[in-house]
C-alpha cells in the first residue's frame, strides 16, 4: 500500500505541476502589455547569417525606433512557408507581413488575401519611389501593387578552381563548352569516389529554366496563356534531353534524396560546378572557408546567357494590423536594413542602398550584371502547381517511363489547363 | 455496485462527463466531419463555403495514379514489415526466454529502438543510408559486396526498403516484450510432456509454443497492421515522398494533398478509404485466425 | 532438464549480435554529434571520430541557444499535461464502464474500441479544421487536448481491464460503511489500479513527447515549437544540413525518455503485458 501512496503523491505532483505550467502559459506577454505585436514570416534559414542579422540587428533597431510595436519573426523552410501561408489563408490565421518569393505573389493575390498597397497606403508612391522599378514590377499584378520589393537575386556559375585546373578545363562561356566541361569534370577522384561536373539540387523551374531558356526554349507564350508549342518546343525538348542525358552519364546529380547536399558537395570537391545565388558566398565562407572557387556568368546558348530571376517581396495580408505592418515594411526596405542585409548576400533593391560603398564592394557584384539578362518564371497564379507538374514530368523522363517529347507534350496539356483556370 | 441514490447518479455522471466531452468533441466530431468533408468541395479558396459534390472526391481519388502508387506502397510496407517484425520479435523472445542471466539487460537494450522517437530514428537512418554514407562505404569498401554506392534513397523500392528496415528495426523490441510475456504463460508441463514423447525443439515450437500464444499473435498482427498503415514520419523524413511522390504512402499523400495543395475534400476521401480498408482487413484477420484455429484443432 | 553449454552460448551470441544491431544507430548518432560539422563528409567515413577531433561544440551551440530550452520546456508542458489529463479522464471513464450498468454503455465502449483501430493521423484534416474553429492554432492548447483525445481510448481500455478485476467485496465493504461513489473511486479504484495507470501514463508521455505530424501542422512560432519539430526544422534546409547540430539536439531530447524508461521499466512491462498497448 505504501508504494501506491507514493505513486499517488507523484501523480498529484504531476497534475499540480502541469496545471501551474498551464497557468504560467496563460499569462503570456500578449495579455500583460498593450504593445502591438506583428507577426513576420520569412524563409531566411534558421542558422543563416541573414536570420542572425534580422533577429539581432534589424528587429531590435525597429523596435527601438517604434516603441509599442513588437515584431515576432518566424522562420519556415521555403516550401513550408508557401504551404503555411496557403493554409493560414484558408483558416484566417495569417501573419501580418511575410517575405514572399516573387513567384508566389500572383497565387496569393488570386486568393484575395493581399493588401493592394497603392490603394490603401497614402504614402505608397514615396516609399515605392525609393525602390528599383524592376523590383517593384514583381509586386504588380494587373493594375495594383501588392508588395514592396525586398531583395533580388539570380544564379550564376560557381566553379571549383582546383578541379577545373586539374582537368585542364577553361571556365565555360557557352552552352557547348559547359556541357563538355561537365562531362570532362566528372569521374572519380584520387580516393576513388565519384565526382560530378554539375550539381542541380532540384527538378523545378528554378533549376531547369536557365537550361531551357539558354537553349532558346521557353515555358509559355508571352501572354502566359498557352504552354503547348513552348514547353514542348524542339529547343525546350533539347534542353531537357541534354540535362537528362548528363544525369544518366553520371555527370550531373544533386536532386536525389541520397545525394550530398549542395554546399557540402561543392565544399568537399565532389561537385565541380553549380548555378547558385549570392547567399552561397556567405554560406561557403562559413562552412568551407578554405575552398578556392570562382564565379562566372551563366554560359550563353542559342538563347543568350539567361539565368532565372529570383528575389522576394515583402507583402501585407488583409488581416494585418496595417499601420504597424506598413511601418515594418518601410523599415525593411529602408537603406539601413537593406545595407545590413547586403552584408549577408541579399542584393538590395533600395536605390540609395545600391549607391552605398559597402554594397558596391560586396561580393555579389557579378550578380548585378546577370540580373540584367535574367528572366522571371511565369507570373501566374497557378505557378506552384505548374512547378510540381514539371518536377513529376522530368522525374518520369529520368525513370525512363516516358520519352522527353512524350513527357513534355503531356506536361504542355496539363499546363494549358492550369493556365486557363 | 448499486446506483440508487441521486447523489450517486450525479457522481457517476460527473466521472463520465470529462471523458465523454473530450471524446465527442475531439474524436467523434472529427470523424463525422471527415465523412462530410469527403463529399464536399473543400479547398483553400472555398474554406468557408463548402458545396456538396457527392462522390466526386472519391472518383477523383480512385482515378489518381499517385493515390494508387501510395496505396500499393502502404500495402507492400505492411506486408513486409509486419511478418518480419513478428518473426524476429518472436525469435528474440524465445532466445531471451531461454537464458537465465542478463534477461532484463537484453530486454531493456532491445527495447531502446522502440522508445527512440520516429523523427530522430528517421534522421539517423537517412544519414546512414545517404549515398555517400557510412553504410555504402561499409558495403563497398570493407565488405566489397557492391562495386559502387547503392543509391538507397533515390528510387521507389530502394527508398521504401530503407523505411521498411527502419520500421522493422524499431518494431522488434515491442514484439519481443509482448511475445516474451506470452511465452511465460505457456504451461511448462506441456513442454515436459512433449519431451517425454520425444519431441525435438522444432516440433515443440509448432505443437506447443505457437498454439499457446495464438491469441497474442492475433493481437500483435492486428496492432502491427494498423501501425503499418499509419507509416508517416519515417517516409516524410527519409525520402519526403521523392522522387515525385513515388515513395509516398497513403498518409503522406493525404497530408500532401491537404496541406500543400489545399484539397481537403480529396484528402478526407483518402482518409476514409484508408479507414475502410483497415476495417476490412481487421475483419479478415480475425476470420483467418479463427479458420486456422479450426485447422489446428482438426490436426491436433 | 540440462541444456548443452554450446546451446546456451549460441543464444547469448545471437542476442549480443541483436543488441548491437539495436543500439548501433544510436551510438552512431552520438558519435556523429561529437565531431565537428566539417568532418561529417570526411573520407573514409568513420564510425567513431578520430580522438583528436572529438568535440562538444555541437552541444555547446545547442545549449547556448535559448530556443532549445524553450522547445524543451514546451515539450515538457505538453507531455506532462497530456499525461495528467489522460490519467484522470480515462480513469473516470474506465471506472464507470467497468463497474456500472447504464444505458449506452456497450455502444460507448464499442466506439472506444473502434477509434483504437483508426490511426490518429487519418483525422488530421478535420481536427485541423476544429483547431482553427477553436482558435488554438499556433498555441500549446492546440496540442494538449488533441493528444489527450488520441490517447484516451487506449488508456481507458487498459485501465478498465484492471478495474474490472477489483474484487467486489472490497467495494461493497466500503459502500456499507457509507462511502459515496467519489470516495470509492478516489480511495479504492484509483489506488488499486495504479500499475495500469502508471503504465499507460508512460506510453502517453512517450506519445506526446515524440509526436510530429500534428505539432508540425498546428504550430508556427519558434517559441511554441516542441522538440520534434525543432529538430526537424534543423534538418529542413535541404541544401545544407548541419548533422552535428541535428544529432546533438536529438541526443539531448532522448535523455528524458531514457530516464523515464529506466525509472519505470517495471511498469513498461506490466502495461505491455496486461492489455498489450503499443507505444
Amino acid at each position: 500500500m505504501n508504494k501506491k501512496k507514493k505513486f499517488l503523491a507523484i501523480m498529484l505532483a504531476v497534475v499540480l505541476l502541469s496545471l501551474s505550467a498551464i497557468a504560467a502559459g496563460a499569462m503570456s506577454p500578449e495579455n500583460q502589455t498593450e504593445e502591438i505585436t506583428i507577426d513576420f514570416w520569412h524563409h531566411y534559414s534558421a542558422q543563416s547569417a541573414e536570420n542572425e542579422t534580422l533577429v539581432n540587428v534589424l528587429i531590435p533597431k525597429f523596435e527601438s525606433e517604434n516603441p509599442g510595436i513588437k515584431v515576432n519573426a518566424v522562420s519556415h523552410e521555403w516550401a513550408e512557408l508557401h504551404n503555411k501561408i496557403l493554409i493560414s489563408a484558408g483558416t484566417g490565421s495569417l501573419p501580418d507581413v511575410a517575405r514572399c518569393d516573387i513567384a508566389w505573389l500572383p497565387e496569393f493575390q488570386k486568393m484575395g488575401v493581399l493588401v493592394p498597397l497603392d490603394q490603401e497606403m497614402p504614402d505608397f508612391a514615396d516609399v515605392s519611389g525609393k525602390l528599383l522599378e524592376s523590383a517593384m514590377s514583381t509586386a504588380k499584378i494587373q493594375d495594383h501593387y501588392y508588395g514592396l520589393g525586398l531583395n533580388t537575386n539570380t544564379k550564376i556559375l560557381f566553379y571549383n578552381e582546383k578541379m577545373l585546373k586539374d582537368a585542364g578545363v577553361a571556365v565555360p562561356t557557352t552552352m557547348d563548352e559547359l556541357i563538355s566541361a561537365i562531362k570532362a569534370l566528372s569521374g572519380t577522384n584520387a580516393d576513388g569516389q565519384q565526382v560530378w561536373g554539375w550539381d542541380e539540387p532540384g527538378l523545378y523551374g528554378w533549376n531547369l529554366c536557365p537550361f531551357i531558356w539558354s537553349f532558346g526554349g521557353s515555358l509559355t507564350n508571352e501572354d502566359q496563356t498557352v504552354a503547348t508549342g513552348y514547353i514542348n518546343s524542339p529547343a525546350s525538348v533539347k534542353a531537357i534531353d541534354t540535362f537528362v542525358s548528363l544525369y544518366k552519364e553520371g555527370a550531373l546529380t544533386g536532386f536525389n534524396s541520397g545525394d550530398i547536399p549542395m554546399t557540402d558537395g561543392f565544399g568537399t570537391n565532389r561537385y565541380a560546378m553549380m548555378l547558385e545565388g549570392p547567399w552561397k558566398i556567405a554560406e561557403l565562407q562559413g562552412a568551407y572557408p578554405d575552398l578556392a572557387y570562382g564565379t562566372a556568368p551563366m554560359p550563353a546558348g542559342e538563347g543568350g546567357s539567361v539565368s532565372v530571376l529570383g528575389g522576394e517581396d515583402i507583402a501585407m495580408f488583409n488581416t494585418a494590423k496595417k499601420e504597424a505592418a506598413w511601418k515594418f515594411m518601410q523599415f525593411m526596405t529602408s537603406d539601413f536594413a537593406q545595407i545590413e542585409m547586403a552584408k549577408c548576400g541579399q542584393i538590395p533593391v533600395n536605390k540609395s542602398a545600391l549607391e552605398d560603398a559597402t554594397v558596391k564592394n560586396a561580393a555579389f557584384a557579378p550578380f548585378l550584371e546577370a540580373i540584367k539578362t535574367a528572366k522571371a518564371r511565369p507570373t501566374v497564379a497557378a505557378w506552384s502547381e505548374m512547378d510540381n507538374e514539371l518536377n513529376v514530368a522530368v522525374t518520369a523522363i529520368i525513370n525512363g517511363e516516358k520519352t522527353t517529347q512524350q513527357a513534355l507534350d503531356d506536361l504542355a496539356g496539363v499546363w494549358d489547363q492550369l493556365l486557363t483556370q | 455496485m448499486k446506483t440508487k441514490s441521486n447523489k450517486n447518479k450525479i457522481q457517476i455522471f460527473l466521472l463520465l462527463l470529462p471523458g465523454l466531452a473530450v471524446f465527442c468533441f475531439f474524436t467523434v466530431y472529427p470523424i463525422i466531419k471527415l465523412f462530410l468533408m469527403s463529399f464536399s468541395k473543400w479547398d483553400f479558396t472555398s474554406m468557408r463555403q463548402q458545396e456538396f459534390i457527392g462522390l466526386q472526391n472519391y472518383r477523383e481519388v480512385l482515378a489518381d495514379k499517385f493515390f494508387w502508387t501510395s496505396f500499393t506502397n502502404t500495402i507492400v510496407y505492411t506486408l513486409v514489415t509486419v511478418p518480419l517484425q513478428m518473426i524476429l520479435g518472436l525469435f528474440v523472445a524465445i532466445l531471451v526466454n531461454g537464458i537465465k542471466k542478463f534477461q532484463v539487460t537484453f530486454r531493456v537494450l532491445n527495447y531502446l529502438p522502440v522508445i527512440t522517437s520516429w523523427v530522430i530514428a528517421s534522421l539517423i537512418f537517412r544519414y546512414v543510408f545517404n549515398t555517400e554514407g557510412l553504410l555504402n562505404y561499409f558495403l563497398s569498401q570493407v565488405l566489397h559486396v557492391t562495386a559502387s554506392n547503392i543509391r538507397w534513397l533515390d528510387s521507389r523500392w530502394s527508398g521504401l526498403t530503407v523505411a521498411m528496415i527502419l520500421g522493422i528495426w524499431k518494431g522488434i523490441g515491442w514484439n519481443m516484450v509482448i511475445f516474451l510475456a506470452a511465452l511465460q504463460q505457456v504451461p511448462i508441463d506441456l513442454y515436459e510432456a512433449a519431451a517425454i514423447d520425444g519431441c525435438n525443439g522444432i516440433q515443440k515450437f509448432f505443437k506447443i509454443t505457437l498454439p499457446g500464444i495464438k491469441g497474442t499473435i492475433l493481437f500483435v498482427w492486428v496492432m502491427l497492421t494498423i501501425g503499418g498503415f499509419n507509416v508517416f514520419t519515417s517516409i516524410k523524413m527519409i525520402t519526403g515522398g521523392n522522387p515525385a511522390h513515388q515513395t509516398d504512402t497513403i498518409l503522406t499523400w493525404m497530408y500532401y494533398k491537404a496541406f500543400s495543395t489545399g484539397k481537403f475534400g480529396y484528402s478526407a476521401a483518402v482518409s476514409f478509404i484508408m479507414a475502410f480498408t483497415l476495417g476490412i482487413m481487421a475483419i479478415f484477420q480475425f476470420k483467418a485466425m479463427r479458420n486456422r484455429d479450426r485447422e489446428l484443432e482438426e490436426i491436433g | 532438464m540440462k541444456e548443452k553449454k554450446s546451446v546456451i552460448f549460441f543464444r547469448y551470441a545471437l542476442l549480443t549480435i541483436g543488441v548491437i544491431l539495436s543500439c548501433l544507430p544510436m551510438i552512431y548518432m552520438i558519435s556523429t554529434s561529437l565531431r565537428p560539422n566539417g568532418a561529417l563528409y570526411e573520407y573514409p567515413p568513420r564510425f567513431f571520430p578520430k580522438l583528436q577531433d572529438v568535440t562538444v561544440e555541437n552541444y555547446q551551440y545547442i545549449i547556448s541557444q535559448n530556443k532549445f530550452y524553450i522547445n524543451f520546456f514546451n515539450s515538457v508542458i505538453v507531455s506532462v499535461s497530456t499525461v495528467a489529463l489522460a490519467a484522470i479522464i480515462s480513469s473516470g471513464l474506465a471506472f464507470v464502464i467497468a463497474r456500472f450498468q447504464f444505458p449506452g454503455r456497450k455502444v460507448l465502449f464499442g466506439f472506444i474500441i473502434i477509434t483504437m483501430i483508426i490511426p490518429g493521423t487519418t483525422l488530421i484534416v478535420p481536427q485541423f479544421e476544429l483547431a482553427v474553429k477553436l482558435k488554438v492554432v499556433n498555441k500549446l492548447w492546440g496540442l494538449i487536448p488533441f493528444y489527450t483525445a488520441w490517447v484516451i481510448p487506449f488508456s481507458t481500455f487498459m485501465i478498465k481491464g484492471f478495474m474490472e478485476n477489483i474484487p467486489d467485496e472490497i467495494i461493497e465493504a466500503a459502500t456499507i460503511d457509507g462511502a459515496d461513489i467519489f470516495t470509492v473511486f478516489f480511495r479504492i479504484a484509483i489506488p488499486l489500479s495504479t500499475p495500469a495507470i502508471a503504465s499507460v501514463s508512460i506510453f502517453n508521455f512517450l506519445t506526446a513527447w515524440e509526436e510530429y505530424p500534428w505539432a508540425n501542422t498546428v504550430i508556427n512560432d519558434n517559441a511554441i515549437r516542441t522538440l520534434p519539430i525543432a529538430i526537424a526544422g534543423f534538418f529542413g534546409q535541404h541544401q545544407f544540413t548541419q548533422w552535428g547540430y541535428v544529432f546533438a539536439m536529438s541526443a539531448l531530447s532522448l535523455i528524458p525518455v531514457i530516464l523515464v524508461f529506466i525509472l519505470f521499466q517495471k511498469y513498461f512491462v506490466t502495461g505491455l503485458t496486461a492489455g498489450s498497448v503499443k507505444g
Side-chain angles (χ1 to χ4, degrees):
Chain A
M1 251 350 225
N2 200 14
K3 244 190 198 161
K4 277 164 193 161
K5 267 189 189 148
K6 214 158 122 195
F7 188 81
L8 256 188
I10 293 173
M11 283 301 294
L12 213 92
V14 161
V15 173
L16 285 176
L17 190 82
S18 62
L19 285 178
S20 64
I22 292 165
M27 289 189 298
S28 59
E30 287 168 59
N31 304 344
Q32 282 173 342
T33 59
E34 288 162 29
E35 275 171 342
I36 297 177
T37 301
I38 55 172
D39 291 317
F40 170 51
W41 288 5
H42 60 82
H43 57 94
Y44 299 118
S45 57
Q47 281 88 50
S48 63
E50 293 98 310
N51 198 36
E52 298 275 303
T53 306
L54 177 73
V55 174
N56 299 330
V57 182
L58 298 185
I59 290 178
K61 168 108 171 160
F62 174 77
E63 286 175 351
S64 71
E65 283 176 1
N66 297 280
I69 306 179
K70 289 263 175 235
V71 179
N72 175 30
V74 180
S75 163
H76 289 294
E77 195 258 332
W78 178 80
E80 185 92 1
L81 177 63
H82 173 257
N83 298 345
K84 286 262 182 191
I85 289 177
L86 288 186
I87 297 165
S88 310
T91 57
S93 52
L94 282 163
D96 299 87
V97 181
R99 175 179 186 251
C100 304
D101 191 309
I102 53 175
W104 300 341
L105 276 202
E107 186 180 5
F108 297 161
Q109 189 273 336
K110 196 183 174 199
M111 295 176 71
V113 293
L114 294 176
V115 173
L117 299 172
D118 51 340
Q119 283 187 307
E120 298 213 8
M121 301 299 152
D123 53 346
F124 175 79
D126 293 346
V127 177
S128 68
K130 291 175 191 153
L131 308 177
L132 288 180
E133 264 168 54
S134 59
M136 283 308 299
S137 73
T138 62
K140 187 178 180 188
I141 300 156
Q142 281 129 32
D143 298 324
H144 295 293
Y145 288 91
Y146 292 90
L148 295 174
L150 184 61
N151 59 270
T152 177
N153 62 55
T154 187
K155 301 194 293 181
I156 61 170
L157 181 70
F158 283 63
Y159 60 89
N160 183 314
E161 282 179 355
K162 189 171 172 297
M163 287 173 79
L164 262 70
K165 212 174 121 200
D166 289 352
V169 173
V171 179
T173 56
T174 67
M175 257 310 166
D176 291 339
E177 284 175 24
L178 177 70
I179 290 158
S180 49
I182 291 174
K183 289 180 184 169
L185 289 163
S186 307
T188 47
N189 65 11
D191 287 328
Q193 293 174 292
Q194 193 176 358
V195 294
W196 293 267
W198 190 264
D199 173 58
E200 200 54 68
L203 297 174
Y204 293 93
W206 174 251
N207 311 99
L208 298 171
C209 282
F211 289 94
I212 296 173
W213 288 330
S214 295
F215 270 82
S218 52
L219 277 69
T220 64
N221 62 347
E222 287 287 319
D223 297 338
Q224 307 186 136
T225 51
V226 180
T228 301
Y230 298 90
I231 187 63
N232 57 348
S233 68
S236 304
V237 171
K238 194 179 163 212
I240 300 295
D241 238 359
T242 311
F243 184 90
V244 171
S245 54
L246 283 172
Y247 172 72
K248 292 203 164 150
E249 286 166 37
L252 171 163
T253 197
F255 46 82
N256 296 304
S257 308
D259 287 331
I260 315 173
M262 194 179 209
T263 308
D264 291 317
F266 190 71
T268 53
N269 307 316
R270 303 293 298 279
Y271 302 141
M273 296 186 290
M274 61 186 184
L275 208 57
E276 253 296 55
W279 53 84
K280 199 51 111 208
I281 294 171
E283 212 171 280
L284 285 169
Q285 179 63 35
Y288 298 97
D290 302 330
L291 181 75
Y293 69 93
T295 59
M298 168 80 194
E302 279 168 40
S305 160
V306 196
S307 190
V308 57
L309 187 70
E312 275 78 23
D313 292 327
I314 187 165
M316 187 196 294
F317 296 103
N318 52 15
T319 49
K321 295 152 202 120
K322 286 182 182 156
E323 201 180 322
W326 180 236
K327 276 187 184 155
F328 182 65
M329 289 168 70
Q330 291 182 48
F331 174 79
M332 287 301 283
T333 53
S334 69
D335 44 353
F336 170 79
Q338 296 260 303
I339 291 168
E340 283 300 319
M341 276 298 188
K343 291 176 190 164
C344 340
Q346 296 288 321
I347 302 177
V349 295
N350 181 306
K351 288 176 199 161
S352 64
L354 279 164
E355 294 306 313
D356 188 88
T358 35
V359 174
K360 281 198 160 164
N361 298 327
F364 51 66
F367 290 90
L368 296 176
E369 261 324 289
I371 284 174
K372 290 178 187 157
T373 56
K375 268 169 63 171
R377 288 154 286 170
T379 50
V380 292
W383 172 247
S384 296
E385 274 183 78
M386 291 169 65
D387 212 11
N388 276 321
E389 295 294 340
L390 177 65
N391 177 36
V392 170
V394 179
T395 305
I397 303 169
I398 283 174
N399 290 342
E401 291 161 23
K402 289 178 182 176
T403 67
T404 309
Q405 188 68 53
Q406 259 176 343
L408 294 184
D409 285 346
D410 295 350
L411 178 67
V414 176
W415 276 14
D416 281 346
Q417 269 194 336
L418 288 171
L419 286 168
T420 52
Q421 272 173 17
Chain B
M1 212 175 150
K2 299 275 154 57
T3 55
K4 271 182 211 150
S5 72
N6 271 337
K7 186 183 164 202
N8 278 358
K9 273 187 185 155
I10 291 170
Q11 288 188 342
I12 288 176
F13 181 70
L14 284 178
L15 284 177
L16 212 49
L17 184 66
L20 279 181
V22 171
F23 192 63
C24 291
F25 210 62
F26 293 98
T27 308
V28 178
Y29 167 78
I31 290 176
I32 295 167
K33 191 87 196 178
L34 181 75
F35 189 66
L36 294 177
M37 276 174 123
S38 71
F39 294 103
S40 313
K41 180 174 163 50
W42 196 312
D43 53 35
F44 282 142
T45 43
S46 65
M47 203 70 179
R48 283 189 195 84
Q49 67 279 353
Q50 302 87 25
E51 194 190 315
F52 180 80
I53 52 167
L55 287 169
Q56 201 186 313
N57 285 324
Y58 287 90
R59 255 180 248 133
E60 218 177 291
V61 170
L62 296 177
D64 190 336
K65 73 174 164 96
F66 289 110
F67 168 74
W68 287 110
T69 305
S70 70
F71 190 83
T72 315
N73 289 348
T74 310
I75 298 285
V76 170
Y77 180 93
T78 310
L79 286 180
V80 173
T81 55
V82 172
L84 282 176
Q85 276 181 76
M86 289 172 72
I87 293 167
L88 290 169
L90 182 56
F91 183 64
V92 177
I94 290 171
L95 288 178
V96 172
N97 201 28
I99 61 171
K100 295 202 176 65
K101 284 178 190 161
F102 302 116
Q103 228 192 47
V104 174
T105 317
F106 279 115
R107 205 172 56 192
V108 168
L109 288 177
N110 274 313
Y111 205 72
L112 266 184
V114 185
I115 58 168
T116 314
S117 81
W118 278 101
V119 169
I120 295 173
S122 306
L123 290 173
I124 299 172
F125 269 64
R126 180 169 177 141
Y127 187 61
V128 171
F129 281 88
N130 188 325
T131 308
E132 302 290 323
L134 189 74
L135 183 79
N136 268 338
Y137 177 78
F138 186 70
L139 290 178
S140 65
Q141 303 297 317
V142 180
L143 294 183
H144 298 286
V145 189
T146 60
S148 61
N149 286 337
I150 300 169
R151 308 185 71 99
W152 289 103
L153 305 176
D154 301 351
S155 65
R156 181 174 175 189
W157 297 116
S158 60
L160 282 171
T161 303
V162 176
M164 290 191 278
I165 294 174
L166 169 60
I168 295 166
W169 171 78
K170 213 172 170 308
I172 290 176
W174 183 76
N175 283 274
M176 171 211 54
V177 172
I178 304 260
F179 281 129
L180 191 56
L183 288 175
Q184 286 164 353
Q185 303 287 319
V186 179
I188 287 214
D189 43 346
L190 284 182
Y191 288 105
E192 280 163 5
I196 293 165
D197 288 350
C199 283
N200 63 23
I202 293 168
Q203 284 169 325
K204 273 192 250 172
F205 174 75
F206 281 105
K207 289 222 163 134
I208 299 165
T209 313
L210 272 191
I213 60 169
K214 64 183 180 223
T216 309
I217 292 178
L218 172 65
F219 170 75
V220 169
W221 192 23
V222 173
M223 294 305 291
L224 290 184
T225 306
I226 297 169
F229 270 70
N230 207 9
V231 58
F232 178 89
T233 307
S234 59
I235 296 287
K236 203 161 189 294
M237 292 283 151
I238 291 176
T239 66
N242 286 322
H245 305 299
Q246 291 193 22
T247 55
D248 266 325
T249 55
I250 300 180
L251 281 182
T252 59
W253 175 246
M254 181 277 287
Y255 192 90
Y256 169 81
K257 283 303 263 190
F259 294 102
S260 297
T261 72
K263 303 260 188 287
F264 289 105
Y266 177 105
S267 295
V270 171
S271 287
F272 233 86
I273 292 170
M274 171 165 155
F276 184 75
T277 315
L278 260 180
I280 297 277
M281 286 182 80
I283 293 170
F284 167 79
Q285 286 172 321
F286 278 105
K287 275 227 164 115
M289 207 62 193
R290 212 178 290 154
N291 288 342
R292 193 169 311 161
D293 278 3
R294 245 176 251 144
E295 278 166 33
L296 280 174
E297 273 161 28
E298 279 159 23
I299 297 165
Chain C
M1 210 164 37
K2 267 264 178 201
E3 282 182 297
K4 280 188 210 134
K5 275 230 168 86
S6 62
V7 173
I8 294 172
F9 174 78
F10 187 63
R11 281 188 192 138
Y12 278 103
L14 275 180
L15 278 173
T16 311
I17 294 172
V19 162
I20 290 172
L21 286 176
S22 288
C23 299
L24 216 52
M26 249 90 77
I27 297 169
Y28 189 46
M29 172 187 90
I30 290 166
S31 105
T32 306
S33 71
L34 289 172
R35 59 188 99 180
N37 270 313
L40 298 180
Y41 282 91
E42 66 186 351
Y43 189 86
R46 295 162 173 280
F47 188 80
F48 291 109
K50 288 183 210 151
L51 255 188
Q52 69 265 28
D53 278 352
V54 170
T55 167
V56 290
E57 64 180 35
N58 295 318
Y59 288 90
Q60 278 168 343
Y61 175 82
I62 295 293
I63 290 174
S64 71
Q65 289 209 316
N66 284 333
K67 249 175 65 185
F68 175 74
Y69 298 105
I70 297 172
N71 298 147
F72 193 90
F73 190 60
N74 287 339
S75 278
V76 171
I77 293 181
V78 169
S79 312
V80 170
S81 311
T82 304
V83 165
L85 285 173
I88 296 166
I89 295 175
S90 330
S91 302
L93 211 52
F95 177 61
V96 177
I97 294 176
R99 313 288 321 186
F100 301 102
Q101 289 298 334
F102 59 91
R105 175 176 169 272
K106 278 209 169 137
V107 177
L108 177 64
F109 190 62
F111 226 91
I112 288 176
I113 298 287
I114 288 172
T115 50
M116 278 166 59
I117 296 180
I118 303 174
T121 323
T122 341
L123 293 179
I124 204 163
V125 168
Q127 283 184 333
F128 183 71
E129 194 256 1
L130 179 64
V132 171
K133 268 196 190 147
L134 297 174
K135 299 198 189 312
V136 290
V137 173
N138 203 19
K139 294 188 175 117
L140 289 184
W141 277 115
L143 301 180
I144 297 165
F146 290 90
Y147 289 171
T148 309
W150 287 6
V151 298
I152 278 181
F154 274 115
S155 312
T156 309
F157 176 70
M158 284 240 358
I159 300 170
K160 174 186 165 271
F162 234 85
M163 289 192 168
E164 270 171 352
N165 293 332
I166 299 174
D168 288 340
E169 302 85 61
I170 300 184
I171 292 178
E172 268 159 26
T175 328
I176 290 161
D177 290 347
D180 60 6
I181 285 178
F182 273 1
T183 319
V184 172
F185 175 65
F186 286 110
R187 289 280 173 80
I188 298 172
I190 286 203
L192 286 181
S193 313
T194 323
I197 299 174
S199 76
V200 297
S201 294
I202 294 161
F203 286 106
N204 295 346
F205 178 83
L206 289 182
T207 307
W209 187 264
E210 77 145 335
E211 203 283 336
Y212 170 75
W214 177 250
N216 189 43
T217 310
V218 175
I219 301 296
N220 297 318
D221 286 9
N222 297 327
I224 311 171
R225 286 181 190 171
T226 52
L227 280 173
I229 7 177
I231 293 170
F234 256 100
F235 170 74
Q237 280 73 49
H238 52 103
Q239 290 182 12
F240 186 42
T241 297
Q242 283 152 319
W243 287 105
Y245 295 157
V246 170
F247 287 146
M249 197 159 177
S250 301
L252 290 174
S253 82
L254 273 181
I255 292 174
V257 174
I258 296 197
L259 274 182
V260 165
F261 176 58
I262 290 172
L263 288 178
F264 298 99
Q265 211 258 117
K266 193 181 76 184
Y267 289 113
F268 255 98
V269 179
T270 324
L272 277 167
T273 50
S276 296
V277 173
K278 178 155 194 190

